[in-house]
Amino acid sequence: MMMNIVLFGPPGAGKGTQSQNLIRDLGLVHLSTGDLLRAQIAAGTPLGLEAQGLMNAGLLVPDHVVIGMIRHRLEECPDAAGFIFDGFPRTLAQAEALDALLEGLGQSIRCMISMVVPQPELVQRLLLRGKDSGRADDQNEAIIAQRIQEYQAKTAPVAQYYAQQNKWKEVDGTGSIQEIYSRIREAAGC
Ligand code: B4P
């Protein structure tokens, strides 16, 4: 059985950061829709062009775009020991689509780890990253606020979806990266 973990939290919660630790230690495949979208933008594909304006404005990209990308990556990795889903699912439609895709493979989500970080710290972390990441969506406080608002309106309800399946686990996302990582491993039981 694959070990499939969803890392969940608002922008800047540390999903990408902690994903790196999990893939290093557990040999899982990292599936970050943010990274996949940025790769499409860098390659100048039609999909990337469609996504770029939305991302730079702090808005979510349409469900069908990200679901298609995830389907493609799952098909590319039939022998994976499991996946870390980072930044996906971000809407209820995406969560349902992910369950259906995994069911088609005879697999399921083991747990969803929700990282909790107070809003002022999120803003601070993202502005700090924006200084050298070159990410347009990290450089402006109004765009960061828009991303957090989008998260609260569309993404936060996804936690309830996993809670109903008894798969939702909450961890404190503040402190050192190593401390948070230990909390995640404990919550996931791995
Ligand atoms: P993402 O790339 O997923 O961006 P993110 O949420 O900002 O990144 P992440 O949460 O991984 O960053 P991290 O906390 O690790 O999405 C970008 C955009 O793509 C979205 O706004 C949307 O437009 C689009 N998109 C992506 N997926 C989508 C989907 N499924 N549906 C629709 N649209 C989608 O890191 C933040 C910073 O904090 C880093 O600098 C890090 O070093 C720092 N940090 C981490 N842990 C820390 C700690 N413990 N202490 C201090 N700093 C820490």
Side-chain angles (χ1 to χ4, degrees):
M1 193 71 179
M2 286 178 176
M3 172 145 38
N4 297 310
I5 299 173
V6 173
L7 271 192
F8 189 79
K15 303 181 294 281
T17 305
Q18 297 297 338
S19 292
Q20 294 307 324
N21 289 332
L22 288 162
I23 56 170
R24 180 195 63 212
D25 294 345
L26 301 177
L28 305 175
V29 175
H30 184 203
L31 266 177
S32 157
T33 39
D35 287 352
L36 291 171
L37 289 166
R38 282 185 288 275
Q40 295 281 336
I41 293 172
T45 65
L47 192 159
L49 290 176
E50 184 187 350
Q52 186 166 30
L54 292 164
M55 288 171 74
N56 288 351
L59 301 171
L60 292 183
V61 172
D63 286 335
H64 71 92
V65 173
V66 284
I67 292 167
M69 287 191 324
I70 288 284
R71 180 186 300 120
H72 185 65
R73 287 291 286 145
L74 288 176
E75 285 168 0
E76 275 181 348
C77 307
D79 300 323
F83 294 92
I84 297 294
F85 294 96
D86 162 6
F88 179 91
R90 261 178 157 96
T91 64
L92 279 175
Q94 292 179 21
E96 285 162 2
L98 179 59
D99 271 353
L101 285 172
L102 290 174
E103 202 177 306
L105 300 171
Q107 301 293 338
S108 61
I109 293 295
R110 175 192 181 99
C111 61
M112 182 258 226
I113 307 285
S114 176
M115 301 166 68
V116 182
V117 178
Q119 185 157 335
E121 182 161 345
L122 297 174
V123 176
Q124 207 182 10
R125 284 184 189 180
L126 293 173
L127 286 172
L128 195 67
R129 182 171 67 185
K131 284 185 185 162
D132 46 33
S133 70
R135 274 180 61 170
D137 61 345
D138 280 346
Q139 283 165 22
N140 169 325
E141 214 164 327
I143 303 294
I144 292 173
Q146 175 62 57
R147 287 161 65 194
I148 294 173
Q149 191 186 321
E150 192 85 331
Y151 169 82
Q152 278 156 358
K154 297 180 184 162
T155 307
V158 175
Q160 190 59 28
Y161 178 84
Y162 288 97
Q164 279 160 1
Q165 298 183 18
N166 278 322
K167 292 179 178 174
W168 171 74
K169 318 251 182 203
E170 196 171 73
V171 302
D172 177 359
T174 62
S176 75
I177 288 169
Q178 187 55 42
E179 269 165 2
I180 299 162
Y181 181 53
S182 302
R183 290 179 202 135
I184 291 173
R185 292 286 298 266
E186 196 184 331
C190 64

